[in-house]
Amino acid sequence: MIRLSLTSIISLIVLFSFGQVKTDKDSSSINAPFIKVTLLGTGTPQPIMERFGPSILVQAGSENLLFDAGRGCLQRLRQINISYDKITALFLTHLHSDHIVGLPDLWLTGWLVSGRTIPLNVYGPMGTNNMVENLQKAYVYDIHIRIEDDHAPADGYKLLVQEIQEGEIYNKNGVRVIAIEVDHFPVKPAFGYRIEYKGHSVVLSGDTRFSKNLIKYAAGTDLLIHEVVISPDSVIQSDPNYHIVAHHTTPEQAARVFNEVKPKLAAYSHIANPYRRNEQVLLKLTKESYSGPLILGEDLMSFSIRDTVSVSNWKTDRK
Ligand SMILES: [Zn+2]
Ligand SMILES: [Zn+2]
C-alpha cells in the first residue's frame, strides 16, 4: 500500500511539473514517431526484485536501441512486448558485470525464442570484442545444437562488435548516438550516451562520478537520466563501501550536474544504495540545491520526449 501511494505521489508530481501525463499503452509499438525511453532495470549488482540490472531501451523512429544488458533485461523486454529480433543495436557503457550479465540470456534465449535472423551490432568500450568472443566460445555447444536441432536461424546468434571512442558512433534512420567519455575511475574508458532524433534528445550518464564532460555533452538535452549513489551523511575511507561511493555520483553532485545542464526532466536510474537508506532521501538531498523537475526512476517507467517530456509508470497504468 505504501508503495502504491508513493507511486501516486510521483504521478501527481509529474502531472504538476510537466503538463498532462500521457499513459503510454503503446509500449509494444515498434515505430515511435518521437523518442521513447524505457528503464528496463534501474538497479546495481544487488540481486533485488524491485530493481533489475541496468538496461535502458531507447526507441526512435524505426530504431530500438538497447543500452546495457543487466540482469533480467530480456524479461523486462517481454513485459513491454519487445522481442529480441526487434532490437536494432546494443550499446554498452562499460564492462562491469552488472551491465553485461544479462547479455548471454538476451542474446541466446532472445535468438531462440524470437527467431532472430540477422546479427546484432554491439557497440562498447575497448575489451568488448574480447568479452563477446569468449562468450561465444563458452556457449559454442548451445549455438551448434540450437542451429542443428532447433533449426534456429544460422545468422541470428551473431554479435558484430565495434569498439568505440568518444563522438558520434551511430547515425541511422535519423537517429544519432554520441558516446561521451565519463569518469568511472578506475574503469576506463566508461561511456555515457546522447541519443538525438528530430531535434530532441536524451542523455544517459552511464556509471560515473561527477563528470564535467557529461555536462558538456548534455547541454540542451530534454531528458537526463543519471546514476546516483545514496551515501551516509559522511563516509570515511576505511568504510568497506567507500569505493562504491567514490566511483559514483552523490545526490549533491548530481544536483550540480542538473543545475548546469537544466534538462526539462532529470531522472535517477542505477540507484546504488549500499547503506540501504530510504530511497526517498535521494530526492530530498538533491532538492536542497536543485529545484528543477526530478524523478526517481523505477523499472519499466517510460518517458516520451516530444516538445514536453511525459512520464508513464508501467505498474500504475495497468491497474
Ligand atoms: Zn553499474
Ligand atoms: Zn560500473
Side-chain angles (χ1 to χ4, degrees), residues 236-307:
I236 49 171
Q237 217 153 346
S238 58
D239 187 311
N241 290 319
Y242 175 81
H243 69 289
I244 300 179
V245 177
H247 294 170
H248 296 281
T249 303
T250 65
E252 294 82 359
Q253 292 167 334
R256 283 170 60 200
V257 175
F258 301 154
N259 275 321
E260 291 210 36
V261 174
K262 296 183 181 63
K264 285 181 190 157
L265 175 62
Y268 281 132
S269 188
H270 194 284
I271 293 148
N273 191 5
Y275 300 88
R276 301 195 181 188
R277 297 184 74 183
N278 183 333
E279 289 180 348
Q280 296 303 315
V281 76
L282 265 183
L283 298 177
K284 181 177 160 289
L285 290 172
T286 315
K287 285 177 178 180
E288 282 172 7
S289 51
Y290 172 67
S291 57
L294 171 67
I295 199 162
L296 183 57
E298 291 183 11
D299 285 18
L300 295 176
M301 181 180 274
S302 66
F303 307 86
S304 297
I305 305 173
R306 301 178 178 91
D307 288 339

Side-chain angles (χ1 to χ4, degrees), residues 164-178:
I164 60 169
Q165 294 186 329
E166 182 168 273
E168 181 181 295
I169 54 161
Y170 189 89
N171 194 338
K172 280 184 193 164
N173 300 313
V175 182
R176 274 181 89 211
V177 179
I178 296 131

Side-chain angles (χ1 to χ4, degrees), residues 45 93-99 184 187 190 206-208 227 247-248 270:
T93 57
H94 63 302
L95 301 180
H96 262 153
S97 64
D98 51 320
H99 297 253
H184 193 33
V187 178
D207 281 18
T208 186
E227 69 114 85
H247 294 170
H248 296 281
H270 194 284

Side-chain angles (χ1 to χ4, degrees), residues 23-287:
T23 52
D24 286 321
K25 304 266 183 191
D26 61 342
S27 290
S28 59
S29 66
I30 302 304
N31 290 298
F34 50 88
I35 302 178
K36 179 168 180 178
V37 180
T38 306
L39 305 179
L40 299 175
T42 57
T44 62
Q46 294 300 326
I48 57 174
M49 289 305 289
E50 297 75 24
R51 296 191 181 278
F52 278 17
S55 185
I56 298 176
L57 177 69
V58 178
Q59 298 173 272
S62 55
E63 298 292 306
N64 295 302
L65 309 177
L66 193 61
F67 292 83
D68 286 331
R71 179 193 303 119
C73 62
L74 187 65
Q75 286 100 320
R76 291 299 193 217
L77 284 171
R78 168 65 70 89
Q79 282 181 288
I80 58 168
N81 295 320
I82 302 287
S83 66
Y84 177 65
D85 62 321
K86 300 297 186 293
I87 300 298
T88 33
L90 171 65
F91 301 82
L92 302 176
T93 57
H94 63 302
L95 301 180
H96 262 153
S97 64
D98 51 320
H99 297 253
I100 54 175
V101 79
L103 180 56
D105 191 29
L106 172 80
W107 153 59
L108 290 171
T109 315
W111 167 50
L112 181 69
V113 302
S114 77
R116 184 184 183 97
T117 56
I118 56 171
L120 180 72
N121 290 307
V122 179
Y123 301 82
M126 194 176 55
T128 303
N129 216 1
N130 187 41
M131 188 260 298
V132 166
E133 268 180 20
N134 282 297
L135 275 180
Q136 289 178 330
K137 280 185 200 158
Y139 288 100
V140 68
Y141 179 85
D142 179 75
I143 292 166
H144 282 155
I145 200 106
R146 296 299 185 192
I147 293 172
E148 283 173 24
D149 184 42
D150 293 291
H151 306 292
D155 283 339
Y157 82 89
K158 290 179 181 163
L159 300 173
L160 305 180
V161 174
Q162 200 172 311
E163 294 188 345
I164 60 169
Q165 294 186 329
E166 182 168 273
E168 181 181 295
I169 54 161
Y170 189 89
N171 194 338
K172 280 184 193 164
N173 300 313
V175 182
R176 274 181 89 211
V177 179
I178 296 131
I180 307 163
E181 192 161 350
V182 291
D183 180 5
H184 193 33
F185 186 82
V187 178
K188 207 169 161 46
F191 293 103
Y193 290 100
R194 179 183 176 113
I195 302 98
E196 299 180 341
Y197 180 63
K198 290 191 175 174
H200 289 294
S201 66
V202 55
V203 170
L204 316 176
S205 73
D207 281 18
T208 186
R209 308 192 289 191
F210 175 84
S211 165
K212 281 202 157 156
N213 199 39
L214 181 80
I215 293 171
K216 185 179 109 186
Y217 275 91
T221 196
D222 297 86
L223 173 64
L224 175 55
I225 296 179
H226 208 291
E227 69 114 85
V228 71
V229 60
I230 310 175
S231 61
D233 293 331
S234 64
V235 59
I236 49 171
Q237 217 153 346
S238 58
D239 187 311
N241 290 319
Y242 175 81
H243 69 289
I244 300 179
V245 177
H247 294 170
H248 296 281
T249 303
T250 65
E252 294 82 359
Q253 292 167 334
R256 283 170 60 200
V257 175
F258 301 154
N259 275 321
E260 291 210 36
V261 174
K262 296 183 181 63
K264 285 181 190 157
L265 175 62
Y268 281 132
S269 188
H270 194 284
I271 293 148
N273 191 5
Y275 300 88
R276 301 195 181 188
R277 297 184 74 183
N278 183 333
E279 289 180 348
Q280 296 303 315
V281 76
L282 265 183
L283 298 177
K284 181 177 160 289
L285 290 172
T286 315
K287 285 177 178 180

